[in-house]
Amino acid sequence: MSANTQQVVGPNKVVAVYFTLKNDAGEVVETNRRGGKPLIYLHGVKAILPGLEQSLEGKKKDEQFSVTIPPALAWGDHRPEHVEKVLRSTLPADMSLQVGMLLRGTDPNGRPVAATIVKIEGEDVTLDRNHPLAGKTLHYDVIVAGIRDATREEAMHGHVHGPGDAHH
Ligand code: ZN
């Protein structure tokens, strides 16, 4: 490989990106660009949203681009069956509930679950267990901050190892 061969985003590359995520209204939902750390991920193993990963394929360091990602390539459709009414008494009594509040807990199998309160009517609380971005079209502004080859171990494990990570 010649010295001036530029790294390109593809399988077995560890990629660092800065991004700003906006919704259809143009409001910033999430960003790591204001003094944040770059998102560092292993490309090609679905570590990030499929639409975002596809858009990064073939990009070079310092490349900057915008991409619009439909729900199917992001958090999926909003599923009405994941919206349910529960009794206020089934939720922690010391919690002051508000519409829009995100509740986090674990299901009976110990897996983390999250639900957004969408309505409170007397004793009835309506919870939406969809991901908050389900059904949403996402607009990303992306900068490729760095690209390197994954180590053999990272490629085998399917994830990035940080500096000083213990072997596992
Ligand atoms: Zn590992």
Side-chain angles (χ1 to χ4, degrees):
M1 199 187 280
S2 71
N4 62 1
T5 300
Q6 224 185 342
Q7 289 267 31
V8 175
V9 176
N12 286 328
K13 300 294 180 188
V14 172
V15 186
V17 294
Y18 285 104
F19 67 87
T20 297
L21 165 61
K22 291 179 191 153
N23 61 18
D24 273 334
E27 297 158 345
V28 174
V29 176
E30 192 185 351
T31 183
N32 62 2
R33 293 195 55 186
R34 297 186 189 121
K37 289 185 174 151
L39 165 71
I40 299 174
Y41 77 97
L42 177 62
H43 193 86
V45 298
K46 300 187 167 72
I48 60 173
L49 295 177
L52 191 56
E53 186 168 63
Q54 283 173 22
S55 74
L56 278 152
E57 184 85 30
K59 295 289 195 288
K60 299 185 178 83
K61 184 177 177 328
D62 298 326
E63 228 176 306
Q64 192 163 347
F65 63 96
S66 298
V67 59
T68 294
I69 304 175
L73 293 175
W75 292 100
D77 290 328
H78 183 269
R79 299 172 64 166
E81 68 268 30
H82 291 170
V83 179
E84 63 170 340
K85 241 181 221 183
V86 300
L87 286 173
R88 173 70 182 86
S89 55
T90 64
L91 299 169
D94 59 347
M95 199 180 258
S96 73
L97 304 181
Q98 284 176 320
V99 170
M101 188 183 257
L102 186 67
L103 304 177
R104 292 176 186 282
T106 50
D107 72 9
N109 299 316
R111 286 179 300 220
V113 289
T116 308
I117 298 177
V118 290
K119 200 153 110 185
I120 303 172
E121 271 178 325
E123 277 300 292
D124 291 328
V125 179
T126 306
L127 298 180
D128 186 345
R129 298 188 191 279
N130 287 283
H131 187 279
L133 294 173
K136 300 278 202 303
T137 298
L138 308 182
H139 306 270
Y140 276 95
D141 296 320
V142 183
I143 300 173
V144 180
I147 307 169
R148 66 166 170 84
D149 294 321
T151 64
R152 186 188 301 224
E153 281 191 330
E154 285 173 328
M156 273 168 47
H157 290 191
H159 57 233
V160 177
H161 292 168
D165 260 8
H167 183 74
H168 58 255

